[in-house]
Protein backbone atom coordinates (compact mmCIF):
# COMPACT_ATOMS: atom_id res chain seq x y z
CA UNK A 1 0.00 0.00 0.00
CA UNK A 2 1.27 3.51 -0.82
CA UNK A 3 0.14 6.71 0.88
CA UNK A 4 1.16 10.25 -0.06
CA UNK A 5 1.83 13.06 2.40
CA UNK A 6 3.14 16.61 2.32
CA UNK A 7 5.83 15.64 4.81
CA UNK A 8 7.22 12.59 6.61
CA UNK A 9 9.02 12.76 9.95
CA UNK A 10 11.12 9.71 10.88
CA UNK A 11 11.58 9.38 14.65
CA UNK A 12 9.62 10.73 17.60
CA UNK A 13 12.63 11.99 19.52
CA UNK A 14 13.25 15.56 20.59
CA UNK A 15 12.78 17.29 17.22
CA UNK A 16 10.20 15.15 15.39
CA UNK A 17 7.06 15.68 17.49
CA UNK A 18 7.47 19.46 17.70
CA UNK A 19 8.19 19.64 13.98
CA UNK A 20 5.09 17.56 13.23
CA UNK A 21 3.12 20.11 15.26
CA UNK A 22 4.44 23.06 13.24
CA UNK A 23 3.98 21.32 9.87
CA UNK A 24 0.41 20.21 10.57
CA UNK A 25 -0.30 23.66 12.01
CA UNK A 26 0.76 25.09 8.65
CA UNK A 27 -1.89 22.90 6.99
CA UNK A 28 0.31 20.05 5.80
CA UNK A 29 -0.71 16.40 5.78
CA UNK A 30 2.07 14.73 7.77
CA UNK A 31 3.13 11.18 8.67
CA UNK A 32 5.34 10.53 11.71
CA UNK A 33 7.05 7.15 11.96
CA UNK A 34 8.36 5.79 15.26
CA UNK A 35 9.87 2.32 15.55
CA UNK A 36 9.96 1.99 19.32
CA UNK A 37 9.35 4.39 22.20
CA UNK A 38 7.78 7.83 21.75
CA UNK A 39 10.05 10.51 23.17
CA UNK A 40 13.22 8.73 22.05
CA UNK A 41 16.41 8.56 24.07
CA UNK A 42 15.94 11.56 26.35
CA UNK A 43 12.56 10.50 27.66
CA UNK A 44 13.10 6.75 27.84
CA UNK A 45 16.79 5.93 28.33
CA UNK A 46 18.58 9.28 28.64
CA UNK A 47 18.05 12.58 30.40
CA UNK A 48 14.77 11.94 32.19
CA UNK A 49 15.37 8.57 33.88
CA UNK A 50 19.01 9.38 34.65
CA UNK A 51 18.28 12.76 36.21
CA UNK A 52 15.49 11.14 38.25
CA UNK A 53 18.00 8.54 39.49
CA UNK A 54 20.55 11.29 40.19
CA UNK A 55 17.92 12.95 42.41
CA UNK A 56 17.47 9.70 44.39
CA UNK A 57 21.24 9.36 44.71
CA UNK A 58 21.45 12.96 45.98
CA UNK A 59 18.78 12.25 48.60
CA UNK A 60 20.80 9.24 49.81
CA UNK A 61 24.01 11.29 49.91
CA UNK A 62 22.41 14.13 51.87
CA UNK A 63 20.77 11.67 54.27
CA UNK A 64 24.19 10.15 55.01
CA UNK A 65 25.54 13.65 55.69
CA UNK A 66 22.53 14.65 57.77
CA UNK A 67 24.47 14.84 61.07
CA UNK A 68 26.63 17.63 59.56
CA UNK A 69 23.43 19.70 59.35
CA UNK A 70 22.36 18.85 62.87
CA UNK A 71 19.72 16.43 61.67
CA UNK A 72 19.53 12.99 63.24
CA UNK A 73 18.31 9.97 61.31
CA UNK A 74 17.62 7.12 63.68
CA UNK A 75 18.05 4.19 61.30
CA UNK A 76 20.64 3.18 58.70
CA UNK A 77 20.23 4.78 55.28
CA UNK A 78 18.77 2.04 53.11
CA UNK A 79 18.32 2.05 49.35
CA UNK A 80 15.15 0.45 48.02
CA UNK A 81 16.29 0.05 44.44
CA UNK A 82 12.87 -1.20 43.33
CA UNK A 83 11.34 2.10 44.47
CA UNK A 84 14.23 4.12 43.06
CA UNK A 85 13.71 2.42 39.68
CA UNK A 86 9.93 2.72 39.97
CA UNK A 87 10.25 6.48 40.43
CA UNK A 88 12.41 6.81 37.30
CA UNK A 89 10.06 4.54 35.33
CA UNK A 90 7.07 6.67 36.32
CA UNK A 91 8.71 9.91 35.21
CA UNK A 92 9.64 8.38 31.83
CA UNK A 93 6.29 6.66 31.31
CA UNK A 94 4.32 9.82 32.05
CA UNK A 95 6.38 11.81 29.56
CA UNK A 96 6.24 9.08 26.90
CA UNK A 97 2.49 8.59 27.10
CA UNK A 98 1.98 12.37 27.08
CA UNK A 99 3.97 12.68 23.86
CA UNK A 100 2.28 9.72 22.23
CA UNK A 101 -1.24 10.83 23.08
CA UNK A 102 -0.45 14.38 21.94
CA UNK A 103 0.72 13.04 18.59
CA UNK A 104 -2.26 10.72 18.17
CA UNK A 105 -4.64 13.62 18.83
CA UNK A 106 -2.84 15.97 16.41
CA UNK A 107 -5.04 17.11 13.50
CA UNK A 108 -3.45 16.35 10.14
CA UNK A 109 -0.97 13.81 11.56
CA UNK A 110 -0.87 10.08 10.81
CA UNK A 111 1.21 8.16 13.35
CA UNK A 112 2.85 5.04 11.90
CA UNK A 113 4.61 2.52 14.13
CA UNK A 114 7.48 0.58 12.64
CA UNK A 115 10.98 0.86 11.25
CA UNK A 116 11.25 3.30 8.35
CA UNK A 117 13.73 2.70 5.54
CA UNK A 118 14.28 4.86 2.47
CA UNK A 119 13.41 3.28 -0.87
CA UNK A 120 14.00 6.47 -2.87
CA UNK A 121 14.60 10.20 -2.29
CA UNK A 122 10.91 10.84 -1.64
CA UNK A 123 9.74 7.46 -0.34
CA UNK A 124 10.16 5.34 2.78
CA UNK A 125 8.92 1.84 3.49
CA UNK A 126 7.60 0.55 6.81
CA UNK A 127 6.88 -3.17 6.53
CA UNK A 128 4.81 -3.53 3.39
CA UNK A 129 3.57 0.05 3.47
CA UNK A 130 5.20 2.81 1.39
CA UNK A 131 4.89 6.48 2.29
CA UNK A 132 5.85 9.23 -0.14
CA UNK A 133 6.35 12.96 0.44
CA UNK A 134 8.30 15.84 -1.13
CA UNK A 135 9.74 16.68 2.33
CA UNK A 136 11.30 14.11 4.66
CA UNK A 137 12.76 14.96 8.07
CA UNK A 138 15.12 12.43 9.67
CA UNK A 139 15.20 12.48 13.50
CA UNK A 140 16.47 8.99 14.24
CA UNK A 141 18.89 9.75 17.10
CA UNK A 142 21.60 7.38 18.25
CA UNK A 143 22.45 4.47 20.51
CA UNK A 144 25.29 3.29 22.74
CA UNK A 145 28.30 2.30 20.73
CA UNK A 146 29.74 -1.10 21.62
CA UNK A 147 33.51 -1.04 21.16
CA UNK A 148 35.27 -3.81 19.35
CA UNK A 149 37.37 -4.69 22.41
CA UNK A 150 38.77 -8.16 23.11
CA UNK A 151 36.21 -10.39 24.80
CA UNK A 152 33.38 -7.88 24.78
CA UNK A 153 31.01 -10.43 23.23
CA UNK A 154 31.82 -13.03 25.85
CA UNK A 155 30.41 -11.03 28.78
CA UNK A 156 27.01 -9.76 29.84
CA UNK A 157 27.62 -6.01 29.72
CA UNK A 158 25.20 -3.17 30.50
CA UNK A 159 24.48 -0.08 28.39
CA UNK A 160 22.68 3.12 29.32
CA UNK A 161 19.47 1.33 28.30
CA UNK A 162 19.82 -2.00 30.12
CA UNK A 163 21.24 -0.48 33.34
CA UNK A 164 17.89 1.28 33.79
CA UNK A 165 16.25 -2.13 34.22
CA UNK A 166 18.31 -3.00 37.34
CA UNK A 167 16.18 -3.20 40.46
CA UNK A 168 19.01 -4.30 42.75
CA UNK A 169 22.29 -2.53 43.45
CA UNK A 170 25.27 -4.45 41.99
CA UNK A 171 28.02 -5.28 44.45
CA UNK A 172 30.73 -3.79 42.25
CA UNK A 173 29.95 -1.79 39.10
CA UNK A 174 32.81 -1.27 36.67
CA UNK A 175 32.09 1.70 34.41
CA UNK A 176 34.09 1.63 31.21
CA UNK A 177 34.32 5.21 29.91
CA UNK A 178 35.13 8.24 32.06
CA UNK A 179 33.01 10.72 30.22
CA UNK A 180 29.62 12.36 30.74
CA UNK A 181 27.27 9.35 30.71
CA UNK A 182 29.67 7.03 32.55
CA UNK A 183 30.40 9.48 35.36
CA UNK A 184 26.73 10.17 36.07
CA UNK A 185 26.07 6.44 36.48
CA UNK A 186 29.30 5.95 38.47
CA UNK A 187 28.42 8.52 41.12
CA UNK A 188 24.76 7.55 41.39
CA UNK A 189 25.58 3.85 41.88
CA UNK A 190 28.25 4.68 44.45
CA UNK A 191 25.62 6.67 46.33
CA UNK A 192 23.22 3.72 46.03
CA UNK A 193 25.88 1.67 47.84
CA UNK A 194 27.82 -0.14 45.11
CA UNK A 195 31.58 -0.33 44.96
CA UNK A 196 32.41 1.54 41.74
CA UNK A 197 35.48 1.57 39.50
CA UNK A 198 35.70 3.93 36.52
CA UNK A 199 38.03 2.75 33.77
CA UNK A 200 39.13 5.36 31.25
CA UNK A 201 41.40 4.82 28.26
CA UNK A 202 42.65 8.42 28.20
CA UNK A 203 44.95 10.09 30.70
CA UNK A 204 42.12 11.91 32.49
CA UNK A 205 38.34 11.96 32.95
CA UNK A 206 36.15 14.06 30.60
CA UNK A 207 39.16 14.70 28.39
CA UNK A 208 37.42 17.41 26.35
CA UNK A 209 37.27 19.70 29.38
CA UNK A 210 40.10 21.78 30.83
CA UNK A 211 42.58 19.86 32.97
CA UNK A 212 41.54 21.72 36.14
CA UNK A 213 37.91 20.70 35.53
CA UNK A 214 38.89 17.04 34.96
CA UNK A 215 41.00 17.05 38.10
CA UNK A 216 38.29 18.62 40.27
CA UNK A 217 35.73 16.11 38.98
CA UNK A 218 38.14 13.24 39.73
CA UNK A 219 38.62 14.55 43.28
CA UNK A 220 34.85 14.78 43.83
CA UNK A 221 34.39 11.16 42.73
CA UNK A 222 37.41 9.77 44.57
CA UNK A 223 36.31 11.55 47.77
CA UNK A 224 33.12 9.49 47.60
CA UNK A 225 35.08 6.26 47.37
CA UNK A 226 35.03 5.71 43.60
CA UNK A 227 38.20 4.15 42.15
CA UNK A 228 39.37 5.88 38.97
CA UNK A 229 41.71 4.03 36.59
CA UNK A 230 42.98 6.21 33.77
CA UNK A 231 45.41 5.31 30.94
CA UNK A 232 43.65 1.95 30.64
CA UNK A 233 44.97 1.38 27.15
CA UNK A 234 44.66 -2.37 27.19
CA UNK A 235 40.95 -2.92 27.78
CA UNK A 236 39.55 -6.42 27.49
CA UNK A 237 36.79 -8.53 29.06
CA UNK A 238 36.44 -12.10 30.35
CA UNK A 239 33.65 -13.89 32.17
CA UNK A 240 34.52 -14.45 35.85
CA UNK A 241 32.88 -16.45 38.64
CA UNK A 242 32.06 -13.14 40.37
CA UNK A 243 30.82 -11.37 37.23
CA UNK A 244 33.15 -9.80 34.70
CA UNK A 245 36.94 -9.46 34.68
CA UNK A 246 38.04 -6.24 32.99
CA UNK A 247 41.67 -5.95 31.84
CA UNK A 248 42.59 -2.36 32.54
CA UNK A 249 46.29 -1.94 32.12
CA UNK A 250 49.16 -3.67 30.40
CA UNK A 251 51.91 -1.80 32.18
CA UNK A 252 51.13 -0.61 35.72
CA UNK A 253 48.65 -0.94 38.56
CA UNK A 254 46.35 -3.86 39.33
CA UNK A 255 45.99 -5.31 35.82
CA UNK A 256 42.48 -6.74 36.18
CA UNK A 257 39.38 -5.37 37.90
CA UNK A 258 36.62 -7.86 38.68
CA UNK A 259 33.16 -6.35 38.84
CA UNK A 260 29.80 -7.98 39.42
CA UNK A 261 28.48 -5.85 36.51
CA UNK A 262 30.15 -3.78 33.81
CA UNK A 263 28.64 -0.74 32.12
CA UNK A 264 29.91 0.26 28.68
CA UNK A 265 29.73 4.03 28.33
CA UNK A 266 32.27 4.70 25.62
CA UNK A 267 30.29 6.88 23.26
CA UNK A 268 27.27 6.97 20.98
CA UNK A 269 26.67 6.12 17.34
CA UNK A 270 23.93 7.42 15.04
CA UNK A 271 20.98 5.20 14.00
CA UNK A 272 21.77 5.68 10.32
CA UNK A 273 23.10 2.25 9.33
CA UNK A 274 19.66 0.68 8.91
CA UNK A 275 17.83 3.60 7.27
CA UNK A 276 18.46 2.81 3.59
CA UNK A 277 20.11 6.20 3.10
CA UNK A 278 21.86 4.95 -0.06
CA UNK A 279 18.49 4.51 -1.76
CA UNK A 280 17.80 8.20 -1.18
CA UNK A 281 21.32 9.40 -2.02
CA UNK A 282 21.83 10.91 1.44
CA UNK A 283 25.48 10.90 2.47
CA UNK A 284 27.02 10.20 5.88
CA UNK A 285 30.48 10.99 7.25
CA UNK A 286 33.06 8.42 8.34
CA UNK A 287 31.29 7.96 11.69
CA UNK A 288 27.85 7.54 10.13
CA UNK A 289 26.50 11.02 10.90
CA UNK A 290 24.29 12.49 8.17
CA UNK A 291 26.06 15.33 6.37
CA UNK A 292 24.00 18.55 6.55
CA UNK A 293 24.50 22.20 5.68
CA UNK A 294 24.12 25.12 8.07
CA UNK A 295 20.32 24.94 7.75
CA UNK A 296 20.36 21.15 8.43
CA UNK A 297 19.45 20.22 4.84
CA UNK A 298 21.12 17.10 3.45
CA UNK A 299 22.60 17.10 -0.05
CA UNK A 300 19.29 15.71 -1.37
CA UNK A 301 16.67 18.41 -1.96
CA UNK A 302 13.66 17.88 0.32
CA UNK A 303 15.50 15.84 2.99
CA UNK A 304 16.67 17.30 6.30
CA UNK A 305 18.38 15.65 9.30
CA UNK A 306 17.77 16.84 12.85
CA UNK A 307 19.10 15.93 16.28
CA UNK A 308 21.88 13.52 17.28
CA UNK A 309 21.95 11.82 13.85
CA UNK A 310 23.48 14.89 12.16
CA UNK A 311 26.47 15.10 14.50
CA UNK A 312 25.96 18.81 15.07
CA UNK A 313 24.82 18.36 18.66
CA UNK A 314 24.40 15.55 21.18
CA UNK A 315 21.80 16.97 23.51
CA UNK A 316 18.08 17.34 23.88
CA UNK A 317 18.30 21.11 23.66
CA UNK A 318 20.37 20.92 20.45
CA UNK A 319 17.90 18.47 18.88
CA UNK A 320 15.01 20.76 19.80
CA UNK A 321 16.90 23.77 18.47
CA UNK A 322 17.40 21.87 15.19
CA UNK A 323 13.60 21.70 14.95
CA UNK A 324 13.38 25.45 15.59
CA UNK A 325 15.95 26.17 12.86
CA UNK A 326 14.30 23.94 10.25
CA UNK A 327 10.77 25.15 11.06
CA UNK A 328 11.76 28.83 11.03
CA UNK A 329 13.58 28.53 7.71
CA UNK A 330 10.85 26.48 6.05
CA UNK A 331 7.72 28.10 7.42
CA UNK A 332 8.70 31.61 8.53
CA UNK A 333 11.11 32.58 5.75
CA UNK A 334 13.97 32.87 8.26
CA UNK A 335 17.62 32.11 7.56
CA UNK A 336 18.67 30.55 10.85
CA UNK A 337 21.96 28.71 11.00
CA UNK A 338 23.14 25.94 13.29
CA UNK A 339 26.61 27.51 13.41
CA UNK A 340 25.09 30.49 15.27
CA UNK A 341 24.29 28.23 18.22
CA UNK A 342 26.47 28.72 21.30
CA UNK A 343 27.38 25.30 22.69
CA UNK A 344 26.16 24.72 26.24
CA UNK A 345 25.60 21.61 28.33
CA UNK A 346 25.84 20.16 31.81
CA UNK A 347 27.38 17.10 33.45
CA UNK A 348 24.94 15.94 36.11
CA UNK A 349 27.24 14.59 38.73
CA UNK A 350 26.78 16.31 42.08
CA UNK A 351 27.79 19.08 42.21
CA UNK A 352 27.00 19.56 38.52
CA UNK A 353 29.21 21.07 35.87
CA UNK A 354 27.55 23.77 33.77
CA UNK A 355 29.47 24.60 30.60
CA UNK A 356 29.14 27.17 27.87
CA UNK A 357 31.29 28.12 24.89
CA UNK A 358 35.01 27.49 24.68
CA UNK A 359 37.13 25.86 27.35
CA UNK A 360 40.21 27.79 28.43
CA UNK A 361 42.38 25.38 26.41
CA UNK A 362 40.28 25.94 23.27
CA UNK A 363 40.49 29.71 23.70
CA UNK A 364 44.27 29.46 24.06
CA UNK A 365 44.52 27.24 20.98
CA UNK A 366 42.49 29.81 19.02
CA UNK A 367 45.46 32.14 19.58
CA UNK A 368 43.45 35.04 21.00
CA UNK A 369 44.65 37.26 23.83
CA UNK A 370 42.45 36.06 26.67
CA UNK A 371 41.43 37.05 30.16
CA UNK A 372 40.68 34.39 32.78
CA UNK A 373 39.02 34.54 36.17
CA UNK A 374 38.51 31.66 38.58
CA UNK A 375 36.91 31.38 42.02
CA UNK A 376 36.59 28.30 44.24
CA UNK A 377 33.08 27.44 45.38
CA UNK A 378 34.50 27.54 48.91
CA UNK A 379 34.36 31.34 48.44
CA UNK A 380 30.71 31.41 47.37
CA UNK A 381 28.35 32.24 50.25
CA UNK A 382 25.46 30.17 48.95
CA UNK A 383 27.68 27.09 48.68
CA UNK A 384 29.07 27.61 52.20
CA UNK A 385 25.57 27.95 53.65
CA UNK A 386 24.46 24.77 51.90
CA UNK A 387 27.58 22.91 53.01
CA UNK A 388 28.39 22.07 49.38
CA UNK A 389 31.64 23.83 48.60
CA UNK A 390 33.28 21.51 46.08
CA UNK A 391 34.31 22.83 42.68
CA UNK A 392 34.99 26.23 41.17
CA UNK A 393 33.73 28.72 38.62
CA UNK A 394 35.84 29.97 35.74
CA UNK A 395 35.23 32.50 32.97
CA UNK A 396 37.34 33.13 29.86
CA UNK A 397 36.95 36.36 27.88
CA UNK A 398 38.49 37.93 24.80
CA UNK A 399 40.89 40.66 25.98
CA UNK A 400 40.20 42.84 22.94
CA UNK A 401 36.46 42.56 22.32
CA UNK A 402 35.63 42.00 26.00
CA UNK A 403 33.20 39.29 24.93
CA UNK A 404 32.91 36.18 27.07
CA UNK A 405 34.32 33.19 25.17
CA UNK A 406 33.32 30.47 27.59
CA UNK A 407 32.75 29.44 31.18
CA UNK A 408 32.58 26.46 33.49
CA UNK A 409 30.68 26.37 36.76
CA UNK A 410 31.46 23.15 38.61
CA UNK A 411 29.57 23.53 41.85
CA UNK A 412 26.23 23.55 43.56
CA UNK A 413 23.66 25.13 41.22
CA UNK A 414 26.23 25.25 38.40
CA UNK A 415 23.76 23.88 35.83
CA UNK A 416 21.42 26.84 36.50
CA UNK A 417 23.93 29.62 37.22
CA UNK A 418 25.72 29.06 33.91
CA UNK A 419 22.68 30.51 32.15
CA UNK A 420 23.60 34.01 33.31
CA UNK A 421 26.70 33.71 31.17
CA UNK A 422 24.95 31.89 28.33
CA UNK A 423 22.39 34.71 28.16
CA UNK A 424 25.18 37.33 28.03
CA UNK A 425 26.82 35.45 25.18
CA UNK A 426 23.54 35.09 23.30
CA UNK A 427 22.90 38.80 23.72
CA UNK A 428 26.35 39.48 22.24
CA UNK A 429 27.09 41.72 25.21
CA UNK A 430 30.57 42.63 26.42
CA UNK A 431 31.30 41.49 29.98
CA UNK A 432 31.36 44.98 31.58
CA UNK A 433 27.60 45.10 30.86
CA UNK A 434 27.14 42.96 33.95
CA UNK A 435 29.42 45.01 36.15
CA UNK A 436 26.61 47.13 37.59
CA UNK A 437 24.00 44.41 37.74
CA UNK A 438 22.55 43.77 41.19
CA UNK A 439 22.00 40.01 41.49
CA UNK A 440 20.00 38.36 44.25
CA UNK A 441 21.77 37.42 47.47
CA UNK A 442 22.52 34.67 48.38
CA UNK A 443 22.88 32.84 45.08
CA UNK A 444 25.68 31.25 43.10
CA UNK A 445 24.80 33.61 40.23
CA UNK A 446 25.52 36.67 42.36
CA UNK A 447 29.23 35.91 42.02
CA UNK A 448 29.14 36.23 38.23
CA UNK A 449 29.66 40.04 38.20
CA UNK A 450 32.41 39.56 40.81
CA UNK A 451 34.22 36.92 38.81
CA UNK A 452 33.94 39.09 35.67
CA UNK A 453 35.43 41.99 37.62
CA UNK A 454 38.42 39.75 38.46
CA UNK A 455 39.27 38.85 34.83
CA UNK A 456 43.05 39.03 34.30
CA UNK A 457 45.35 38.35 31.34
CA UNK A 458 46.04 34.62 31.13
CA UNK A 459 49.56 33.65 32.20
C1 LIG B 1 22.28 8.22 29.55
C2 LIG B 1 22.02 9.48 28.78
C3 LIG B 1 21.80 10.65 29.47
C4 LIG B 1 21.56 11.84 28.78
N1 LIG B 1 21.36 12.98 29.48
C5 LIG B 1 21.14 14.14 28.83
C6 LIG B 1 20.90 15.34 29.53
O1 LIG B 1 20.90 15.36 30.76
N2 LIG B 1 20.67 16.46 28.82
C7 LIG B 1 20.66 16.48 27.46
O2 LIG B 1 20.46 17.53 26.85
N3 LIG B 1 20.88 15.34 26.76
C8 LIG B 1 21.12 14.18 27.40
N4 LIG B 1 21.32 13.03 26.69
C9 LIG B 1 21.30 13.09 25.22
C10 LIG B 1 19.86 13.14 24.69
O3 LIG B 1 19.12 12.06 25.19
C11 LIG B 1 19.89 13.11 23.17
O4 LIG B 1 20.77 14.11 22.72
C12 LIG B 1 18.52 13.37 22.59
O5 LIG B 1 17.59 12.39 23.01
C13 LIG B 1 18.62 13.36 21.05
O6 LIG B 1 17.35 13.52 20.53
P1 LIG B 1 17.03 13.07 19.03
O7 LIG B 1 15.70 13.63 18.75
O8 LIG B 1 18.13 13.44 18.13
O9 LIG B 1 17.02 11.48 19.04
P2 LIG B 1 16.33 10.40 19.98
O10 LIG B 1 15.83 11.01 21.22
O11 LIG B 1 17.30 9.30 20.12
O12 LIG B 1 15.07 9.92 19.14
C14 LIG B 1 15.20 9.21 17.94
C15 LIG B 1 13.94 8.39 17.71
O13 LIG B 1 13.98 7.84 16.40
C16 LIG B 1 13.48 6.52 16.42
N5 LIG B 1 14.04 5.81 15.24
C17 LIG B 1 15.33 5.55 14.99
N6 LIG B 1 15.46 4.95 13.78
C18 LIG B 1 14.21 4.85 13.27
C19 LIG B 1 13.68 4.34 12.06
N7 LIG B 1 14.48 3.84 11.11
N8 LIG B 1 12.35 4.36 11.87
C20 LIG B 1 11.53 4.90 12.81
N9 LIG B 1 11.97 5.41 13.98
C21 LIG B 1 13.30 5.40 14.20
C22 LIG B 1 14.00 5.98 17.76
O14 LIG B 1 13.23 4.86 18.19
C23 LIG B 1 13.81 7.21 18.67
O15 LIG B 1 12.54 7.21 19.27
C24 LIG B 1 21.53 11.83 27.35
C25 LIG B 1 21.73 10.64 26.65
C26 LIG B 1 21.97 9.48 27.36
C27 LIG B 1 22.18 8.20 26.57
Amino acid sequence: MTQSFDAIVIGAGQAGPALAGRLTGAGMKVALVERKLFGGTCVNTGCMPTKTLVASAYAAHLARRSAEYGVGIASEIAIDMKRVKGRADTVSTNARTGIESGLRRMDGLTVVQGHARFVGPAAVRIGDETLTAPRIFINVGGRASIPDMPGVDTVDYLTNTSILKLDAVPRHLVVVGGSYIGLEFAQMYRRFGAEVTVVEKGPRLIGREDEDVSEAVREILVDEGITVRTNATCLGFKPHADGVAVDVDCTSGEPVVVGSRVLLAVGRRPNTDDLGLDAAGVTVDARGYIVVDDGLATGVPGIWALGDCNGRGAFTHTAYNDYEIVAANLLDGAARRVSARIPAYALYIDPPLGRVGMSEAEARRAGRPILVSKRPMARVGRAIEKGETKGFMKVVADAETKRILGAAILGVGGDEAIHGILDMMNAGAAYPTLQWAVPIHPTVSELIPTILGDLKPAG
Side-chain angles (χ1 to χ4, degrees):
M1 196 174 92
T2 299
Q3 289 193 72
S4 302
F5 294 89
D6 297 315
I8 298 168
V9 177
I10 307 174
Q14 295 306 306
L19 184 62
R22 275 300 312 269
L23 297 171
T24 52
M28 290 190 203
K29 186 182 162 204
V30 179
L32 182 143
V33 193
E34 171 53 53
R35 71 176 174 189
K36 209 166 173 207
L37 299 175
F38 290 83
T41 306
C42 180
V43 166
N44 298 291
T45 58
C47 339
M48 292 192 87
T50 57
K51 268 79 258 186
T52 309
L53 293 171
V54 163
S56 290
Y58 179 70
H61 179 68
L62 211 55
R64 288 191 191 102
R65 292 184 58 208
S66 63
E68 291 175 39
Y69 296 85
V71 177
I73 297 182
S75 58
E76 278 279 290
I77 306 303
I79 304 296
D80 182 342
M81 201 57 202
K82 286 194 172 52
R83 287 185 69 181
V84 167
K85 174 184 180 294
R87 190 172 164 271
D89 288 347
T90 302
V91 169
S92 285
T93 306
N94 289 347
R96 178 171 67 245
T97 50
I99 292 168
E100 179 170 359
S101 60
L103 289 170
R104 292 200 186 275
R105 280 198 312 267
M106 195 179 282
D107 281 342
L109 184 70
T110 301
V111 174
V112 181
Q113 279 201 269
H115 181 98
R117 195 182 292 274
F118 280 89
V119 288
V124 297
R125 185 167 298 150
I126 302 104
D128 51 12
E129 197 174 358
T130 302
L131 311 182
T132 65
R135 302 169 199 84
I136 301 183
F137 303 92
I138 307 170
N139 176 220
V140 292
R143 61 186 187 274
S145 110
I146 305 304
D148 187 17
M149 289 171 181
V152 72
D153 292 333
T154 66
V155 298
D156 183 18
Y157 57 78
L158 298 163
T159 65
N160 69 285
T161 302
S162 50
I163 196 171
L164 297 174
K165 298 195 171 71
L166 295 187
D167 60 5
V169 179
R171 183 185 51 74
H172 182 177
L173 178 68
V174 178
V175 177
V176 178
S179 204
Y180 308 88
I181 291 174
L183 296 187
E184 291 180 6
F185 280 112
Q187 190 188 45
M188 89 175 62
Y189 268 91
R190 179 67 194 141
R191 289 179 171 193
F192 291 153
E195 185 183 341
V196 174
T197 304
V198 175
V199 178
E200 164 57 43
K201 200 165 66 165
R204 59 191 172 91
L205 301 177
I206 44 172
R208 261 180 292 170
E209 304 296 341
D210 283 334
E211 283 185 35
D212 52 359
V213 173
S214 291
E215 183 51 26
V217 165
R218 197 189 67 81
E219 274 170 24
I220 287 165
L221 299 177
V222 169
D223 265 8
E224 292 192 24
I226 294 171
T227 304
V228 176
R229 297 290 303 267
T230 44
N231 294 309
T233 48
C234 212
L235 273 162
F237 304 86
K238 275 187 220 78
H240 187 279
D242 291 333
V244 179
V246 184
D247 297 329
V248 294
D249 209 311
C250 303
T251 50
S252 65
E254 199 59 52
V256 178
V257 177
V258 177
S260 51
R261 300 307 303 259
V262 60
L263 168 69
L264 297 183
V266 292
R268 309 274 302 161
R269 58 178 291 194
N271 290 326
T272 53
D273 46 341
D274 52 5
L275 201 51
L277 289 172
D278 284 351
V282 172
T283 50
V284 296
D285 68 13
R287 297 168 62 213
Y289 290 100
I290 298 174
V291 178
V292 289
D293 67 15
D294 221 7
L296 304 173
T298 68
V300 179
I303 304 183
W304 289 259
L306 302 85
D308 283 10
C309 68
N310 66 24
R312 303 293 290 265
F315 302 100
T316 283
H317 46 280
T318 51
Y320 190 81
N321 182 238
D322 283 2
Y323 138 69
E324 295 176 313
I325 291 170
V326 168
N329 294 352
L330 201 67
L331 302 173
D332 306 332
R336 293 184 61 176
R337 292 170 298 117
V338 70
S339 57
R341 181 160 74 205
I342 295 168
Y345 54 89
L347 162 67
Y348 289 94
I349 59 162
D350 169 46
L353 167 69
R355 278 277 294 114
V356 59
M358 291 181 173
S359 64
E360 182 182 345
E362 282 168 341
R364 284 177 190 273
R365 278 200 297 275
R368 313 178 194 212
I370 57 168
L371 306 172
V372 179
S373 176
K374 195 168 162 181
R375 187 182 191 90
M377 294 304 284
R379 286 179 55 219
V380 174
R382 183 71 170 150
I384 295 166
E385 289 145 12
K386 287 188 149 188
E388 301 185 51
T389 52
K390 289 179 179 170
F392 61 83
M393 44 210 297
K394 176 163 78 167
V395 177
V396 182
D398 188 308
E400 284 160 7
T401 63
K402 303 215 179 318
R403 295 280 179 88
I404 298 173
L405 298 174
I409 304 183
L410 172 64
V412 60
D415 52 330
E416 299 288 348
I418 198 74
H419 286 85
I421 293 174
L422 178 58
D423 290 345
M424 284 274 293
M425 292 175 73
N426 273 312
Y431 72 78
T433 310
L434 262 189
Q435 223 66 48
W436 294 103
V438 184
I440 296 167
H441 173 77
T443 56
V444 173
S445 302
E446 76 178 316
L447 269 302
I448 290 176
T450 311
I451 190 173
L452 293 174
D454 288 343
L455 279 163
K456 306 245 168 14

